[in-house]
Amino acid sequence: MKRLLGLTLAATTVLSLATAASAEPLRLRGTIVQTSSDSLTVHTANGDVTASLNAKTGFVSVVPPNLNSVGPGSYLGVASKDGGDKRIALSVIVFPPAMKGAAEGNAVYDPLPDTTLSGGARTASSMTNANVKAISPSENAPRVNSTMTNASVATTTAKGDVRYVTLTYKDGEQNVLIPPTAPVVAFVPGAPSIAKARAHVFVLTDSTNGKITAGLVAVGTNGLIPPF
């Protein structure tokens, strides 16, 4: 229960960290170099970065999801790009019940690989976390701007391999098309022991006062690259 509480508290910082005026980096993506009881070193595209760990740091395994379980009331994290009258998903996270409601809302996110293009390029995106094949995006794909929306699934329909979901959150909603090329993953709460050297990882950090502290550590399983 303590670990789940810490995980939920860590997750609630996702949205605030997306817009906070604190020092970079805030989100680390790469592979784990080494871990200890109080720190984690990640090899990123810009070099090795070490983040401190504490009792509030949450750990999750990133695994392939069961999309058949996604329906009204599910909580998703959808990184998306502008598609005119709808958002187009670049990646989707299916959250466990313990994280439902975490960071509910919508905010500008990082440029991500544009998975809608041939080869899985990166573009600017938004992340929608709401109540839904794991595909790892190409590292060489072009990037596009994105948004992050944390919200609950109100409706979901499918036409062939394409899914349409309506995500609702306080004071807003998003209509999102999820193409078959969008990586979809699920979070499974875990312990610090899941952070193994050479595993792909996403680390949400707070760098207030110049000290990098990990709030959430998401570790890919079986070579899976966290796509968010």
Side-chain angles (χ1 to χ4, degrees):
M1 178 61 70
K2 183 178 180 181
R3 170 59 57 186
L4 289 179
L5 176 60
L7 177 59
T8 302
L9 291 175
T12 61
T13 66
V14 175
L15 191 60
S16 59
L17 285 179
T19 55
S22 54
E24 294 292 341
L26 294 176
R27 290 180 284 270
L28 306 177
R29 299 173 175 89
T31 55
I32 298 173
V33 176
Q34 61 183 14
T35 65
S36 69
S37 61
D38 60 3
S39 69
L40 173 76
T41 300
V42 180
H43 180 68
T44 74
N46 298 314
D48 290 357
V49 179
T50 298
S52 62
L53 307 175
N54 57 37
K56 294 183 179 179
T57 303
F59 290 80
V60 294
S61 294
V62 182
V63 303
N66 176 9
L67 281 180
N68 292 330
S69 66
V70 173
S74 296
Y75 200 69
L76 302 182
V78 181
S80 64
K81 70 174 185 177
D82 185 21
D85 61 345
K86 66 178 70 67
R87 303 294 302 181
I88 300 177
L90 300 170
S91 66
V92 178
I93 302 167
V94 181
F95 287 102
M99 295 178 73
K100 184 172 182 177
E104 184 180 20
N106 185 70
V108 173
Y109 198 54
D110 298 335
L112 293 176
D114 189 349
T115 55
T116 67
L117 302 178
S118 176
R122 283 187 181 263
T123 69
S125 72
S126 71
M127 171 69 78
T128 301
N129 292 353
N131 284 335
V132 163
K133 350 204 259 188
I135 304 169
S136 292
S138 168
E139 288 300 305
N140 298 319
R143 292 177 178 253
V144 67
N145 292 325
S146 73
T147 0
M148 176 186 287
T149 306
N150 299 344
S152 296
V153 174
T155 64
T156 177
T157 59
K159 293 183 179 180
D161 291 335
V162 176
R163 282 180 173 256
Y164 299 86
V165 296
T166 299
L167 302 174
T168 59
Y169 51 92
K170 184 178 180 180
D171 301 324
E173 71 173 33
Q174 297 282 349
N175 294 312
V176 182
L177 181 156
I178 304 176
T181 54
V184 181
V185 297
F187 279 178
V188 176
S193 58
I194 67 173
K196 305 289 188 182
R198 296 184 295 280
H200 296 286
V201 69
F202 168 91
V203 184
L204 179 65
T205 74
D206 180 356
S207 54
T208 304
N209 300 322
K211 181 179 181 181
I212 301 174
T213 303
L216 180 67
V217 179
V219 182
T221 59
N222 299 319
L224 192 153
I225 300 173
F228 38 86

